[in-house]
Amino acid sequence: MTSETPTSTPKSTPETSNKPEPAFGWTPYAEQINGRFAMIGFVALLLLEFFTRQDFFTWLGM
């Protein structure tokens, strides 16, 4: 029977991490940020309709 020593995983460094980096154009980072802003906008719209008791188009005067 052989004894194997467990290998340790390398610590995450900025060069090896999977963090998206800001860049210009259609990048995964841009899509992630756009999605987050869209979720914030949707929740804001729901809160606006809840507190004013009017739908969005009535609130806009349409």
Side-chain angles (χ1 to χ4, degrees):
M1 190 173 214
T2 61
S3 68
E4 296 180 19
T5 57
T7 58
S8 64
T9 58
K11 295 194 181 221
S12 179
T13 61
E15 296 82 32
T16 61
S17 67
N18 290 333
K19 284 185 169 181
E21 294 183 17
F24 182 76
W26 298 95
T27 62
Y29 179 78
E31 292 301 311
Q32 185 179 38
I33 294 299
N34 288 340
R36 288 178 180 169
F37 279 125
M39 288 184 273
I40 290 170
F42 184 73
V43 170
L45 177 63
L46 290 177
L47 290 172
L48 175 75
E49 290 184 0
F50 178 75
F51 286 114
T52 62
R53 304 281 191 230
Q54 296 178 349
D55 64 357
F56 179 68
F57 295 110
T58 304
W59 186 76
L60 285 177
M62 297 180 147

